[in-house]
Each structure stands twice: as structure tokens, then as C-alpha cells.
């Protein structure tokens, strides 16, 4: 792996590549070139080679990439070779919906605890897995007991910074934030914010743009890649 800092855009694209490889593997495809991978999934072949080049040489001349091997490499690079246990702060509609989301398990994530300060919710259980709702004041203890290493913030914006402070005090280094608020974290804590409103407004911008009646395939692909880049930057 090269010593230069890897950008978040690169790691975002690695996640996309892994999903594509999972699809190929499910279809029984054993090998694929960067060009074929790009054409099949509307990606950029040069970008694929550049991103993978940060971590080593995975392609074989005349063959391309072995799908199973590349899946394993990217899985290891993203740290998905081991399970991650997730806690959610906020037992409202969003928090409980996230707790019930079955897609987490496909990426080796599992929600094991929910936290809230509403006494009417504390002690209840949520979803098929009956995930317990804990008093947010018990977070440090529960984080240790459940070996939680990722936390999700699903509270109103006004409470988000206070919640982040509690999360950091509990020793968590990775946080996914759904609150529409700018947060201040320590340098050793990674906060990734998902702003649904900003993403929708970005889509609105593209809907409002004048569209040419005749669009070439090349132009369409460029617009697709441009939209992907903007969405990655927001996430």
C-alpha cells in the first residue's frame, strides 16, 4: 500500500466496486477486466485502476481481475473481514427504522443496542432481533459489554453535538450522523454525516437543468459520473 493518504472518495468507490464484484460473483463470473467492469456498472476504468493501485497490484495481464480474489482484497482493505457491532442513539422513527434494516448484515454490521433519554422507551425492545433500548447515561457500560465499535446518531439537530460528546466519552471512534447539523469531533474520531435534505436538493438541481433533446451515450455517461462524484462528496 502506498504511503500517501487515501481520500474518502476512494474508500467510497471501493465500497461500490465491492458491491459490483458481489453481483458478478453471484452470477458465476470468475474474471473481469477493469474496462468490462466499468462498462457493465457505468464506472470509470482508469479510476478503478488508480483506486486499486493505492493498495497493490491485483490484476493479471491478459486476464484482468479474479473476482473472488479482488472481493477478498477489498473486503480486507475496508475492514469488513471482521464483524462490527453498532449502537444507535435515538429511538425515534429513524432510529428504529435503522435498527430494523436488514442490509447491515450483508456488510458484516449488526445493530446490538439503542440508546435514548425517554423513560417511556427505555427497557423496550425493537424489531425481530428484539434490540434493547438503554438509557443513554448507560452508554459507556453498554458499549463495553456489547463491544460496540460504531455508533449512529439519529436525534434532532439540537441534541446532536451533546450526543456526539457522549459517544466520544464512551470511547467510540467511528460515528455515522443522520442529524442535519455540523458537528465538532476530536481528530481521532471519524464522523460521517448523511444529509438527506442536501442529497435531495442536489437531485432537484439536476432535474431543474435544461436537458438536451438529443443526448449521446458518452454525454449521458459523463453526467452519471458527475452525479456520482457530487453524491460521494456529500456523503
Amino acid at each position: 500500500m502506498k504511503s500517501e493518504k487515501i481520500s474518502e472518495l476512494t474508500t467510497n468507490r471501493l465500497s461500490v466496486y465491492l458491491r459490483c464484484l458481489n453481483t458478478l460473483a453471484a452470477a458465476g463470473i470468475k474474471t473481469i477486466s477493469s474496462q468490462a467492469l466499468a462498462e457493465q456498472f457505468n464506472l470509470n476504468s482508469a479510476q478503478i485502476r488508480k483506486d486499486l493501485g493505492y493498495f497493490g497490484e491485483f490484476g493479471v495481464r491478459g486476464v484482468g481481475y479474479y473476482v473472488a480474489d479482488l472481493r477478498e482484497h477489498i473486503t480486507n482493505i475496508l475492514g469488513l473481514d471482521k464483524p462490527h457491532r453498532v449502537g444507535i442513539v435515538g429511538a425515534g422513527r429513524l432510529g428504529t427504522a435503522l435498527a430494523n434494516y436488514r442490509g447491515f448484515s450483508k456488510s458484516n454490521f449488526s445493530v446490538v443496542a439503542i440508546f435514548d433519554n425517554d423513560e417511556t422507551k427505555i427497557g423496550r425492545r425493537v424489531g425481530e432481533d428484539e434490540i434493547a433500548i438503554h438509557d443513554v447515561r448507560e452508554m459507556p457500560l453498554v458499549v463495553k459489554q456489547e463491544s460496540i465499535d460504531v455508533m449512529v446518531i439519529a436525534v434532532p439537530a439540537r441534541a446532536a453535538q451533546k450526543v456526539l460528546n457522549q459517544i466520544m466519552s464512551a470511547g467510540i471512534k467511528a460515528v455515522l450522523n443522520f442529524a442535519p447539523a455540523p458537528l465538532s469531533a476530536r481528530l481521532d474520531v471519524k464522523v460521517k454525516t448523511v444529509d438527506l435534505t442536501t442529497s435531495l436538493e442536489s437531485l432537484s438541481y439536476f432535474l431543474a437543468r435544461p436537458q438536451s433533446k438529443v443526448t449521446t451515450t458518452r454525454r449521458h455517461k459523463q453526467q452519471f459520473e458527475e452525479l456520482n462524484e457530487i453524491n460521494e462528496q456529500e456523503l
Side-chain angles (χ1 to χ4, degrees):
M1 177 176 169
K2 297 180 181 179
S3 59
E4 59 190 286
K5 184 178 180 180
I6 306 302
S7 74
E8 189 168 339
L9 290 178
T10 297
T11 57
N12 286 345
R13 287 191 292 265
L14 287 179
S15 179
V16 173
Y17 302 157
L18 182 58
R19 293 184 188 182
C20 296
L21 292 166
N22 289 339
T23 300
L24 294 173
I29 296 174
K30 305 297 183 183
T31 63
I32 193 167
S33 67
S34 59
Q35 186 62 41
L37 184 63
E39 291 176 354
Q40 185 163 344
F41 294 100
N42 292 311
L43 302 172
N44 182 300
S45 60
Q47 187 69 65
I48 292 172
R49 293 191 294 272
K50 180 180 179 181
D51 289 337
L52 294 177
Y54 288 121
F55 304 94
E57 298 294 334
F58 305 115
V60 177
R61 187 177 298 276
V63 177
Y65 301 111
Y66 287 101
V67 172
D69 289 346
L70 189 56
R71 284 178 72 201
E72 182 178 358
H73 284 306
I74 296 179
T75 296
N76 292 338
I77 290 168
L78 292 175
L80 298 175
D81 52 327
K82 61 180 180 179
H84 293 283
R85 296 170 69 79
V86 181
I88 298 174
V89 184
R93 292 181 180 179
L94 177 58
T96 53
L98 291 170
N100 284 312
Y101 177 55
R102 309 309 299 177
F104 284 133
S105 59
K106 296 179 181 178
S107 293
N108 230 8
F109 291 87
S110 58
V111 177
V112 297
I114 305 175
F115 301 91
D116 208 287
N117 61 359
D118 186 340
E119 294 182 357
T120 64
K121 297 178 180 179
I122 295 170
R124 290 169 46 192
R125 293 184 175 271
V126 174
E128 295 179 3
D129 296 331
E130 296 190 342
I131 303 167
I133 300 176
H134 302 271
D135 190 323
V136 71
R137 293 174 295 184
E138 299 177 353
M139 186 186 299
L141 177 62
V142 177
V143 163
K144 184 176 181 179
Q145 290 177 337
E146 296 289 347
S147 299
I148 296 172
D149 60 353
V150 177
M151 197 72 78
V152 177
I153 296 177
V155 301
R158 65 181 181 276
Q161 184 62 56
K162 179 180 179 180
V163 165
L164 176 59
N165 293 341
Q166 292 174 302
I167 289 172
M168 292 189 293
S169 295
I172 297 295
K173 305 292 186 182
V175 181
L176 182 62
N177 171 45
F178 281 90
L183 300 179
S184 178
R186 297 196 309 264
L187 292 177
D188 63 337
V189 176
K190 175 62 178 178
V191 177
K192 190 174 180 67
T193 296
V194 179
D195 191 328
L196 300 178
T197 300
T198 299
S199 296
L200 288 171
E201 288 174 351
S202 175
L203 291 174
S204 176
Y205 164 73
F206 279 95
L207 288 174
R209 291 179 66 186
Q211 300 293 320
S212 173
K213 293 182 179 180
V214 179
T215 304
T216 64
T217 302
R218 182 176 180 183
R219 177 59 180 163
H220 177 74
K221 185 175 181 179
Q222 289 174 340
Q223 290 178 341
F224 182 89
E225 292 172 351
E226 180 186 11
L227 179 57
N228 273 348
E229 192 74 11
I230 289 176
N231 284 339
E232 287 176 344
Q233 291 170 345
E234 290 170 354
L235 293 176

